Amino acid sequence: MFSSSGNTKKLSLGDEINYITASLHHELNMIIMSRLPLGLKNPKAFHEGLTSFSILYSSFESALDSHIRNPSTPSRTRAILEHVYIPAVHRAATFEADLKKYSPSSEKDELTKGTPARAHVLNHIRRATTETPHVLLAYCHCLYMALFAGGQHIKAAIARSAVRKLDLAQHQTVPEEAKKSAPGIALFTFDGRSTKEEQELRQKLRDGIRQAEELLTPKERAEVLAESCEVFKLTRRLVDELDGICGTAPTVLVATKQYTESESPTVPSVEGQTSGRSWIKRLDRKRVETMVKGFVCVSFLVGYLMYLNISSPSAATEGLEGNGN
């Protein structure tokens, strides 16, 4: 809820989900992007990552499909879920396609079959979607919208990585088709649709969520919002476990810390605002250095311009004539 010109306006369900999960989303995004380069260099790590995320997507898609097809599903529940039941965005099959293209680099790199985090995610989604099936709206919004937005950046990174490897191996210009068929991008591709068609599909999902929220009771809406936070927590749990599986924890923790420090805004506390010296200490060091360098450069520039103006004969003459008048 927010106020505008004295009037209270209700946020749409999608916007409210984005609002309450903003910090969780930002943190998870930084963590995933810091690990992506490691996954692109290590087929086993990438395969493990795909496996973990495939459980997340296939679990809620299976629950959604089950409720839609089950004759005993209450009519109102079915009506809610039908608005977001869009087979074109389902990802279970695309995960399978991508997983087939990634395999361990050697026989020693055995793939992990089952883990505590994966089991927890599977059990949580089964329980939550059985008891409160309308929370599937949270999964549809958070996980599908992620593919339409940030997922496209990951897709581009995967394609660039595959192209570089192919180009270095063949010492030739890589054809455009090779970029489109790079291993691991099926997840981010929607049945060969163009960018415009993908945007239309995204809008269809967004409209479906708006229509579905009209059928929710206040209690059900609150449950969807709460589960939205759980979606990010479940995803974070999977990513944290991947660090242990792939043995990358020390490296990615340093990378994540550096990325977080450089991207997260610094907000001075009330105490800091009362003291100029303490507030400066809270600023990012790089920003302070940039400010100081900028100030020095401007000072030199102003001083140089003043020097030119004073030392210029024409300027001096104009100054004397001005004083004479």
Side-chain angles (χ1 to χ4, degrees):
M1 305 285 287
F2 64 92
S3 177
S4 177
S5 302
N7 297 322
T8 300
K9 184 177 179 180
K10 186 177 182 180
L11 291 173
S12 68
L13 179 62
D15 287 339
E16 192 166 3
I17 289 175
N18 293 339
Y19 179 78
I20 67 172
T21 62
S23 60
L24 293 171
H25 188 178
H26 178 67
E27 181 181 12
L28 181 62
N29 181 61
M30 291 191 295
I31 291 172
I32 290 177
M33 294 309 293
S34 70
R35 286 152 173 76
L36 182 60
L38 300 174
L40 294 178
K41 295 178 181 178
N42 186 338
K44 177 182 181 295
F46 200 87
H47 191 288
E48 293 287 0
L50 285 176
T51 299
S52 290
F53 279 90
S54 70
I55 292 174
L56 186 62
Y57 279 83
S58 62
S59 295
F60 93 81
E61 286 180 351
S62 177
L64 177 60
D65 189 69
S66 178
H67 284 296
I68 291 292
R69 298 179 184 278
N70 191 341
S72 63
T73 300
S75 58
R76 194 174 70 85
T77 299
R78 186 191 303 278
I80 292 172
L81 299 181
E82 281 179 342
H83 285 301
V84 293
Y85 187 71
I86 308 173
V89 301
H90 292 184
R91 299 291 89 192
T94 60
F95 268 109
E96 292 182 8
D98 281 336
L99 284 168
K100 291 179 181 178
K101 294 182 179 180
Y102 277 89
S103 58
S105 56
S106 69
E107 295 181 358
K108 295 180 180 179
D109 294 329
E110 296 182 0
L111 296 172
T112 306
K113 295 182 179 179
T115 66
R118 291 171 184 172
H120 173 80
V121 169
L122 182 60
N123 292 332
H124 175 89
I125 293 177
R126 284 177 177 172
R127 183 179 65 256
T129 58
T130 298
E131 297 173 355
T132 52
H134 48 273
V135 301
L136 282 163
L137 294 178
Y139 290 88
C140 289
H141 176 84
C142 297
L143 297 179
Y144 287 145
M145 287 304 180
L147 295 179
F148 283 117
Q152 298 309 306
H153 296 290
I154 299 177
K155 174 183 176 180
I158 295 172
R160 286 195 300 270
S161 176
V163 165
R164 281 196 297 269
K165 292 176 182 176
L166 184 60
D167 193 17
L168 291 174
Q170 298 182 356
H171 300 287
Q172 63 181 16
T173 303
V174 181
E176 192 65 26
E177 287 302 317
K179 300 178 182 179
K180 297 179 181 180
S181 61
I185 65 172
L187 171 60
F188 309 102
T189 305
F190 296 88
D191 297 337
R193 285 175 165 78
S194 65
T195 302
K196 180 180 178 180
E197 291 171 330
E198 286 186 359
Q199 290 301 317
E200 292 173 350
L201 194 60
R202 180 182 185 180
Q203 187 59 49
K204 183 178 180 180
L205 176 62
R206 187 179 286 125
D207 292 341
I209 293 174
R210 288 198 185 101
Q211 293 168 343
E213 72 172 291
E214 296 298 326
L215 302 175
L216 297 174
T217 65
K219 179 176 181 294
E220 290 171 339
R221 183 187 178 94
E223 289 170 339
V224 172
L225 292 173
E227 192 65 20
S228 297
C229 294
E230 286 301 316
V231 174
F232 285 96
K233 292 176 183 178
L234 292 173
T235 307
R236 174 64 185 272
R237 188 165 185 158
L238 289 172
V239 175
D240 288 345
E241 184 179 67
L242 285 170
D243 289 341
I245 294 175
C246 302
T248 55
T251 304
V252 296
L253 285 178
V254 172
T256 301
K257 184 175 184 297
Q258 293 175 341
Y259 188 75
T260 303
E261 289 178 346
S262 65
E263 292 295 324
S264 299
T266 302
V267 182
S269 62
V270 175
E271 179 184 356
Q273 292 177 6
T274 61
S275 171
R277 186 179 299 275
S278 60
W279 181 76
I280 287 295
K281 289 181 180 179
R282 286 175 169 78
L283 285 175
D284 179 68
R285 181 178 296 179
K286 291 184 178 180
R287 292 183 181 179
V288 174
E289 293 177 352
T290 301
M291 292 169 60
V292 172
K293 290 178 181 178
F295 177 76
V296 172
C297 290
V298 171
S299 299
F300 272 116
L301 178 61
V302 172
Y304 183 64
L305 291 176
M306 291 178 64
Y307 168 76
L308 290 179
N309 186 57
I310 293 174
S311 61
S312 171
S314 59
T317 302
E318 291 175 0
L320 289 175
E321 290 177 353
N323 290 334
N325 292 333

